[in-house]
Amino acid sequence: MKKALVIFISLLSSQSFCHAQNNKDKDDPLANLGASYENFNAYARKEYEDFRDQANQEYAEFLRKGWKKFEAKKKKPAPKEPITVPPQQVSPEKKSQPLKTEAFFLFKLFSSKKKSKTPEPVAPIPEVKPEEQNVEKPADAKKEIAVENPKPAPVQQYRAFRFYGTEGKVRFNDSQKYKFTTCNNNEVADMWTRCSKHDYNNTIIDCLKLRDEHHLCDFAYIEMLRCLGDTIFGKDTNESEFFTAYIYCQSGYQVRIGRSNDKLYLLYGSEHHIYDKNYYFLDQKSFFLLTGNPSSLSICDSPFKGEKPLDLCMDKSQDLKYEKADERTYRSTKYPDLQVTVSVNKNLIKFYNDYPTSMIDDNFLTRWAMYANTPLDESVKQSLYPQLKSHLAGKDELEQVSMLLDLVQNGFTYEYDDKVWGGDRAFFAEETLYYPYQDCEDRSILFSRLVRDLVGLKVVLVFYPAPNAHLSTAVCFNKEVPGDYYIVNNKHFTACDPTYFDAPVGMQMDIVDTQHAQVILLE
């Protein structure tokens, strides 16, 4: 927009431009303004097209020349189960005693990271009319070319596809399809040039529209493009991999193309390091494979203008087609009337199952913040939250938190991740409501979401280090409440442990190391 404004101002200040306008419709200022805007639009569009065309031409030349051999870096395994404390039941003796209040100053404090700005194309992409596709423009735009027996204007074709049960449709003509033979430098470069001739404009526009309409995070978007490419060109083909890479790049994302034994691979840059995936270290940045796992690749290690890495944080719930899962009922023990029944979206669970486990700044604690900061799915909010609000209505904030705490403590069945999944696996809040077993990290993530959404209080995650490793939470009340608390940014966060069964607000397990607790701030 800033660039467009500069262009508009420069046009208005041009003597030749103003002279032309003054000689046309002198007595009609509105017509004069309209003509100015039309000229501005045409000029700005050409400026944008020229800029994007130049970027694609330069990248095609990189593809023609700039390939190097790289060895894959060994994957970083997801951390072994860091939780070692079994679930605890508060003793009747301790529960009957008055709460002691003790303040704890923090050993370490970690801030959660907000979602970075969603990437955008290097320049606005204009719509292309069907009759403008596959038409070579004459060198002299004013020169008219006589055409005998002109062909009828082509009809816009569409390609439908599905991703995580969700229907999508984009403009794509059969004339846009292509076929690789050798995948050598020249063929890849020529194919990039062919795709850059504006025939793909409408396809890119429609893909970006689907991304925005369905609130897709960066990872969901690249998965959507992969599904579209497989639908058009066939699964795991060079054509599908190249198509995904091209659309992903034109959408503003950081991408590299690799090759091994005439097989093409898409590599995407990520702001976060992803566990359990081999990666390539290119220009001091980590790139991960979308498909496959070759030990080495020839890669065109050249950037595209304005590219941005994929961000695994999610600031919106993914709007995927709703497919109802089996209902589950959860009950509180201390508050017998507190009972809720909820069902989640199975398509969202499928997406979360594919979502890669990652960390920020080489700190495995940050992954918990990424899960906890993800908003709850709208379908769950609409069914679960009215039930909970009816029980919380009229209660003060301490009792509201106490009710939610007891519900999470006693309404779910505890089990270790390594027993259920064979290794550590954190849950998004919906997964905790879907799967039959949860551990302390899953309960803490769900509890933190419920308190923030329903009571409106700030919550932090509290990690107690080894040898008795454990994850819990602490809540910042608006008034002083009894019990242990942590001083975080000069505010009191009172301990609330979703895995310390029947423990009230303010009570911590005796076996955890409270003096060296590490706190993760949440949004």
Side-chain angles (χ1 to χ4, degrees), residues 162 164-166 320-326 343-350 379 434:
R162 285 178 178 269
Y164 295 108
T166 306
L320 302 175
K321 183 178 179 180
Y322 184 76
E323 184 179 346
K324 186 177 181 179
D326 293 339
S343 176
V344 303
N345 184 357
K346 290 173 68 174
N347 287 318
L348 182 64
I349 297 299
K350 292 176 184 176
S379 65
Y434 175 77

Side-chain angles (χ1 to χ4, degrees), residues 102-108 464-465 486 512-518:
E102 185 175 356
F104 295 91
F105 292 88
L106 299 175
F107 178 64
K108 285 186 179 180
Y464 305 96
Y486 290 86
V512 296
D513 184 0
T514 54
Q515 300 297 330
H516 295 88
Q518 303 175 30

Side-chain angles (χ1 to χ4, degrees), residues 164-329:
Y164 295 108
T166 306
E167 297 180 355
K169 184 175 72 171
V170 302
R171 286 169 286 182
F172 188 93
N173 290 348
D174 290 338
S175 60
Q176 293 173 242
K177 295 189 72 173
Y178 50 81
K179 183 72 177 176
F180 282 104
T181 54
T182 64
C183 294
N184 61 30
N185 293 16
N186 287 330
E187 187 175 20
V188 174
D190 290 343
M191 205 64 73
W192 193 276
T193 300
R194 172 182 171 177
C195 292
S196 303
K197 288 185 177 179
H198 301 172
D199 284 3
Y200 274 73
N201 280 19
N202 295 345
T203 306
I204 300 168
I205 291 171
D206 290 347
C207 287
L208 290 170
K209 184 178 180 181
L210 285 171
R211 181 192 70 177
D212 296 341
E213 286 179 348
H214 293 280
H215 306 154
L216 300 183
C217 67
D218 294 350
F219 183 75
Y221 183 58
I222 196 172
E223 282 291 295
M224 186 200 82
L225 296 181
R226 182 184 60 80
C227 292
L228 175 59
D230 287 350
T231 299
I232 296 173
F233 296 100
K235 189 173 182 179
D236 298 330
T237 61
N238 285 336
E239 291 75 21
S240 176
E241 199 85 356
F242 182 85
F243 170 87
T244 305
Y246 178 76
I247 302 294
Y248 187 63
C249 169
Q250 299 301 295
S251 300
Y253 292 88
Q254 193 174 58
V255 66
R256 300 291 183 268
I257 298 177
R259 179 180 59 223
S260 177
N261 299 324
D262 289 332
K263 177 75 174 71
L264 295 180
Y265 294 90
L266 183 161
L267 299 97
Y268 59 88
S270 172
E271 286 196 0
H272 314 147
H273 193 88
I274 299 173
Y275 292 120
D276 293 325
K277 286 179 73 74
N278 289 353
Y279 64 101
Y280 289 82
F281 203 56
L282 312 174
D283 191 25
Q284 306 301 310
K285 302 179 182 67
S286 296
F287 284 80
F288 300 86
L289 288 155
L290 181 62
T291 61
N293 192 29
S295 59
S296 64
L297 284 174
S298 293
I299 301 173
C300 177
D301 183 23
S302 297
F304 193 89
K305 288 182 178 179
E307 64 180 18
K308 290 185 179 180
L310 169 147
D311 187 343
L312 287 168
C313 294
M314 288 183 275
D315 59 356
K316 296 179 181 178
S317 60
Q318 310 301 288
D319 183 14
L320 302 175
K321 183 178 179 180
Y322 184 76
E323 184 179 346
K324 186 177 181 179
D326 293 339
E327 290 184 342
R328 292 188 181 276
T329 299

